[in-house]
Amino acid sequence: MSANLLAIFYLISGVLFILALRGLSSPETSRKGNLFGIIGMLIAIGVTFLSIGNFSTGFLYLLVFLLIGGSIGAFIAFKIPMTAMPELVAGFHSLVGLAAVFVAISAFLNPEVFNLGSSGNIKIASLIEMSLGASIGAITFTGSIIAFLKLRGIMSGNPITFIGQHYLNLLLGLSIAALIFYLCKTQLESLFWLLIAISFLLGVLLIIPIGGADMPVVISMLNSYSGWAAAGIGFTLENTALIITGALVGSSGAILSYIMCKGMNRSFFSVILGGFGGTDQSSSAKGKEQKPVKSGNAEDAAFLMKNASTVIIVPGYGMAVAQAQHALREMVDTLKKNGIKVTYAIHPVAGRMPGHMNVLLAEANVPYDEVFELDEINNDFANADVAFVIGANDVTNPVAKTDPQSPIYGMPVLDVEKCKSILFVKRSLSPGYAGIDNELFYRDNTLMLFADAKKMTEDITKNL
């Protein structure tokens, strides 16, 4: 395949990736966006393999690796439930980072194959590109593994800190910059391996001090890292499609991180420095024992809803764990038949990754025009009769507005407490990922429904 034809196909692939991102920005066009992304990736992979050697060899490689990779991807897609999507995304980010490291190693050890010069005499620009790609990729790999372990519950979601941790991270960051500089001057192989090793270590140390409540930001941040790693390697390989794709993923991930930080009223650097979600939960547990709560059952909840004219549903991670989205949709359909207006309120960081709740509601075929973000619906709570909170803890906690000592102080939250009646579905009074007690549990207008979210929702529907 000629270089000009290859460039044209890569350009088409890049345009399709841009259209994919555009489509994924809205639930109504997300399916079309996914289709554009699939076609763009098929074109990029196909022309890359077909440009290697003769056509028959490239076509054979294309079929073999598409079959292997496609089978693994299809198996994972069918096997993994929607509730495990955050850790799946973190796991996939780690693979992108590791791929960047492997390609950089291959390019460094075999520069002649990639037209980068000869061993010990690699082009300086190429050396900088592959060094940055390898370093960012290594940080992405180990950082994503730690995020996966935290989200999966294998590792504690609480921050893991030690004295001088931030200074050590700064020292490692400066060491990476110094190693890249001296690597460009000396091109010693030992420096390249040391660069990768330190980057692997930095990836671990960057993520372990970050609490579980910040995981949505961490996932989008690692998504951005993986994109920049791919872009760096794209420059090394002079692969236009990889440069375009990496830049798109890197920039969109950075923008998403900013949106998430804004949604929590936190700076990007405060997230990186960690600490959110490190409150002593034992002390909050003592406080809970001294406060009375009003608890009810499905019949009580159904009675309140039947006598309401407007209901706002606030889904959270509890809904995801119980996989209650379909039961919730059935309950809402029943309410609508009784002439009750129902809407959904989504906090930007509800769940464990950006858009987590939106995806679950879309899976249950909830109409898009009934789902509203925090800024769009927050003023409606004061006029609503019932708020049905299904597992959303930190994002509904009023202390974010009242207690300057709280770790979530200043974070925009849903004004659920302004509703006439609040139905809060939860298994227990345990704190959320931020590790603090939710003042909403003890309000006079709150009725706690202690049960599995799916079973409680189904029971309410029966009583309706």
Side-chain angles (χ1 to χ4, degrees), residues 434-446:
I436 57 174
D437 208 8
N438 191 343
E439 187 186 292
L440 195 62
F441 298 161
Y442 315 105
R443 294 289 180 103
D444 292 335
N445 58 336
T446 300

Side-chain angles (χ1 to χ4, degrees), residues 43-213:
I43 292 173
I45 294 173
V47 297
T48 300
F49 275 113
L50 295 177
S51 65
I52 301 171
N54 57 57
F55 182 85
S56 58
T57 304
F59 188 71
L60 180 62
Y61 281 138
L62 176 63
L63 288 178
V64 170
F65 288 110
L66 274 181
L67 183 62
I68 295 173
S71 299
I72 294 172
F75 174 78
I76 292 174
F78 281 111
K79 191 76 174 174
I80 297 295
M82 291 301 300
T83 49
M85 199 55 63
E87 50 258 47
L88 177 64
V89 172
F92 279 166
H93 287 165
S94 72
L95 297 179
V96 176
L98 189 61
V101 173
F102 283 156
V103 173
I105 292 172
S106 180
F108 183 81
L109 297 179
N110 305 281
E112 299 88 354
V113 176
F114 297 92
N115 297 318
L116 305 177
S118 57
S119 185
N121 191 30
I122 302 172
K123 300 173 189 175
I124 298 299
S126 298
L127 202 56
I128 294 173
E129 292 157 3
M130 73 174 71
S131 297
L132 287 173
S135 179
I136 298 172
I139 292 171
T140 304
F141 173 69
T142 50
S144 297
I145 293 297
I146 298 299
F148 173 86
L149 295 175
K150 281 176 174 276
L151 289 165
R152 196 69 178 170
I154 299 172
M155 178 182 288
S156 171
N158 291 328
I160 301 173
T161 58
F162 54 84
I163 297 174
Q165 187 173 39
H166 300 321
Y167 293 108
L168 176 59
N169 290 347
L170 177 62
L171 179 62
L172 292 176
L174 294 173
S175 299
I176 288 173
L179 283 170
I180 292 175
F181 175 77
Y182 284 108
L183 181 62
C184 292
K185 287 190 68 175
T186 63
Q187 300 202 14
L188 289 174
E189 186 177 327
S190 57
L191 293 180
F192 184 71
W193 292 113
L194 183 59
L195 170 69
I196 293 175
I198 291 178
S199 299
F200 277 138
L201 177 61
L202 182 59
V204 174
L205 295 178
L206 276 176
I207 306 303
I208 59 171
I210 301 177

Side-chain angles (χ1 to χ4, degrees), residues 18-34 36:
I18 294 172
L19 292 174
L21 276 180
R22 179 70 184 88
L24 291 170
S25 64
S26 169
E28 291 91 339
T29 57
S30 59
R31 289 181 183 272
K32 190 183 294 182
N34 265 323
F36 283 139

